[in-house]
């Protein structure tokens, strides 16, 4: 058995790393022993594919293209071919600057995109054949936070749907806020202020996950190196339970910016990547209280792990390191959640996101 992945990168950023130039979307495989079998294969030349989403049947791959030169980004839909090559079936230019995240509505009728620099949330209708229509809705956040260097304005960063599909929750790093929206059948976003939630000032929420039972939520906070532990109730919304650090108190090599956050299907283990300490934090989850206990931080053997994923069977964790151009694979212990490095390979300059094919 082997695993196949799609890998995205920043194609317009300079790098001194001795690695192949980044050109778009690549594929690579992993053996059942956790070895990266081959050099990445270029599938599509495109501008800075920085985040992926996928249809439940794996027929379509959805991407955002995030130029860092000031040019407008774009949404693309690719149909995955039998040989795992990609055929672009649709593309739409995105209004706004800093297009950095994409998610799929539970009914698969809409794509939601995030423009970080402009603080916007965008909705595009999506056909069953993968065809994108022009924007049906654009919401711009207005606000700021106490960190003058990073929070002078709103900075939306990601969208996560509640487990029941009732709300789209937008993490706004600039406003320290979780904004809750209902998505209508016509692709409009309607904020529910009763379900929106303000986090402690200066924390900078980036990405979040819900526990499998939907009772708890966890938010990776980029500016404070913390995870916010929240309870969630369909009727009452969020409540803050506690806060845990993603790095040990002995860590002094500032700054550190948490990035991706993942939780296992059984809800027992949670992981967060740290850019700065260059590690993945492992937390044990108390499924009764929802509280976290940090178990260990494992080095990613590179610099700046912006993203990482668990394989679908949760046997392996893979982390691309943006600033060192390499990708590290870990074997995961199902009982303890602990990670053991199995392989590290130079991929391309600026690898930043990946998804299992």
């Amino acid at each position: 058995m082997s695993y196949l992945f799609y890998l995205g990168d920043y194609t317009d950023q300079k790098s001194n790393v001795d690695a192949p130039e980044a050109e778009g979307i690549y594929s690579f495989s992993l053996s059942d022993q956790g070895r990266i079998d081959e050099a990445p294969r270029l599938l599509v030349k495109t501008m800075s594919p920085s985040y992926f989403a996928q249809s439940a049947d794996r027929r379509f791959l959805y991407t955002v293209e995030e130029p860092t030169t000031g040019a407008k980004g774009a949404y693309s839909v690719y149909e995955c071919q039998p040989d795992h090559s990609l055929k672009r079936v649709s593309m739409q230019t995105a209004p706004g600057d800093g297009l950095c995240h994409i998610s799929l509505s539970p009914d698969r009728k809409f794509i939601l995109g995030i423009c970080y620099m402009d603080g916007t949330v965008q909705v595009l209708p999506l056909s069953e054949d993968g065809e994108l229509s022009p924007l049906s809705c654009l919401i711009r956040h207005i606000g700021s936070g106490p960190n003058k260097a990073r929070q002078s304005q709103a900075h939306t960063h990601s969208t996560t749907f509640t487990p029941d599909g009732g709300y789209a929750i937008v993490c706004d790093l600039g406003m320290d806020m979780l904004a809750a929206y209902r998505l209508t059948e016509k692709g409009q976003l309607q904020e529910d202020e009763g379900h929106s939630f303000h986090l402690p000032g200066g924390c900078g929420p980036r990405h979040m996950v819900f526990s499998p039972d939907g009772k708890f939520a966890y938010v990776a906070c980029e500016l404070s190196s913390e995870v916010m532990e929240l309870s969630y109730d369909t009727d009452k919304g969020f409540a803050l339970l506690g806060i845990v650090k993603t790095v040990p108190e002995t860590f002094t090599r500032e700054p550190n910016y948490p990035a991706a956050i993942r939780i296992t299907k059984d809800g027992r283990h949670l992981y967060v990547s740290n850019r700065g300490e260059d590690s993945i934090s492992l937390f044990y989850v108390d499924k009764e209280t929802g509280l976290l206990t940090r178990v260990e931080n494992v080095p990613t053997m590179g610099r700046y792990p912006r993203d990482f994923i668990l394989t679908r069977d949760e046997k392996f964790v893979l982390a691309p390191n943006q600033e060192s151009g390499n990708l590290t694979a870990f074997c995961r212990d199902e009982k303890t959640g602990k990670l053991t490095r199995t392989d590290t390979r130079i991929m391309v300059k600026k690898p930043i996101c990946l998804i299992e094919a």
Side-chain angles (χ1 to χ4, degrees):
M1 176 183 175
S2 63
Y3 306 79
L4 187 72
F5 304 89
Y6 297 121
L7 177 73
D9 47 40
Y10 279 136
T11 63
D12 60 348
Q13 289 190 2
K14 293 181 179 180
S15 172
N16 295 323
V17 173
D18 185 16
E21 291 293 335
E23 295 186 90
I25 302 175
Y26 294 78
S27 67
F28 70 94
S29 60
L30 184 79
S31 74
D32 58 4
Q33 300 300 311
R35 299 296 174 186
I36 302 167
D37 288 337
E38 57 189 2
R41 178 169 70 102
L42 180 63
L43 299 180
V44 180
K45 285 190 176 184
T46 187
M47 173 66 74
S48 296
S50 67
Y51 211 82
F52 296 144
Q54 194 176 47
S55 60
D57 60 6
R58 304 180 212 169
R59 179 184 172 190
F60 295 108
L61 179 70
Y62 310 101
T63 75
V64 290
E65 297 169 12
E66 182 188 0
T68 57
T69 58
K72 298 298 183 185
Y75 300 95
S76 287
V77 181
Y78 297 92
E79 187 170 26
C80 303
Q81 305 300 300
D83 64 353
H84 301 293
S85 62
L86 298 174
K87 176 184 177 183
R88 180 181 275 161
V89 296
S90 185
M91 182 177 180
Q92 289 281 344
T93 300
D97 188 14
L99 182 63
C100 65
H101 190 270
I102 189 170
S103 58
L104 187 64
S105 65
D107 61 8
R108 296 190 241 175
K109 293 182 179 179
F110 300 96
I111 277 178
L112 278 75
I114 292 291
C115 276
Y116 173 84
M117 293 303 296
D118 288 359
T120 60
V121 190
Q122 305 172 8
V123 183
L124 291 83
L126 180 67
S127 75
E128 292 183 358
D129 294 326
E131 191 71 27
L132 287 169
S133 296
L135 286 178
S136 60
C137 181
L138 185 149
I139 300 290
R140 186 182 302 276
H141 285 192
I142 304 296
S144 60
N147 185 326
K148 294 181 180 179
R150 294 291 307 278
Q151 296 181 310
S152 62
Q153 66 180 73
H155 288 303
T156 51
H157 217 309
S158 64
T159 302
T160 305
F161 281 88
T162 56
D164 62 4
Y167 291 94
I169 308 298
V170 176
C171 285
D172 193 310
L173 182 147
M175 296 174 63
D176 297 315
M177 183 180 181
L178 305 179
Y181 294 98
R182 288 196 178 278
L183 179 61
T184 72
E185 293 183 357
K186 294 184 178 181
Q188 298 298 306
L189 292 173
Q190 300 174 343
E191 185 177 2
D192 184 333
E193 294 185 359
H195 277 67
S196 294
F197 190 75
H198 290 274
L199 294 169
C203 68
R206 178 184 173 95
H207 283 203
M208 70 182 298
V209 293
F210 283 88
S211 61
D213 61 11
K215 295 180 180 179
F216 305 104
Y218 305 96
V219 183
C221 295
E222 179 172 330
L223 303 184
S224 62
S225 290
E226 295 170 331
V227 175
M228 299 291 159
E229 306 158 309
L230 306 170
S231 63
Y232 178 73
D233 182 271
T234 302
D235 298 321
K236 298 178 182 178
F238 297 100
L240 182 63
L241 297 175
I243 304 172
V244 292
K245 297 290 288 187
T246 67
V247 291
E249 295 297 332
T250 54
F251 175 75
T252 58
R253 184 164 46 88
E254 299 291 347
N256 181 72
Y257 301 125
I261 183 168
R262 312 288 182 187
I263 193 168
T264 54
K265 296 173 185 176
D266 62 9
R268 294 171 54 208
H269 301 113
L270 181 137
Y271 301 88
V272 179
S273 64
N274 293 290
R275 298 167 298 170
E277 190 192 43
D278 298 329
S279 68
I280 295 178
S281 305
L282 162 63
F283 295 89
Y284 169 74
V285 184
D286 187 315
K287 295 176 69 174
E288 295 298 320
T289 65
L291 298 179
L292 303 176
T293 301
R294 191 172 56 82
V295 178
E296 65 176 2
N297 284 32
V298 180
T300 60
M301 310 305 294
R303 299 192 306 277
Y304 230 62
R306 182 179 182 268
D307 191 21
F308 71 95
I309 61 167
L310 284 75
T311 54
R312 291 190 187 92
D313 59 13
E314 300 188 336
K315 291 182 179 180
F316 297 98
V317 169
L318 287 86
N321 294 289
Q322 177 181 335
E323 297 301 326
S324 53
N326 64 316
L327 182 141
T328 301
F330 301 90
C331 180
R332 177 181 172 270
D333 186 290
E334 183 179 357
K335 292 183 178 179
T336 66
K338 291 189 175 183
L339 305 180
T340 302
R341 181 169 65 92
T342 59
D343 200 3
T344 301
R345 178 188 280 267
I346 290 290
M347 304 299 277
V348 295
K349 295 179 180 180
K350 303 290 184 178
I352 51 175
C353 66
L354 76 166
I355 197 167
E356 190 172 354

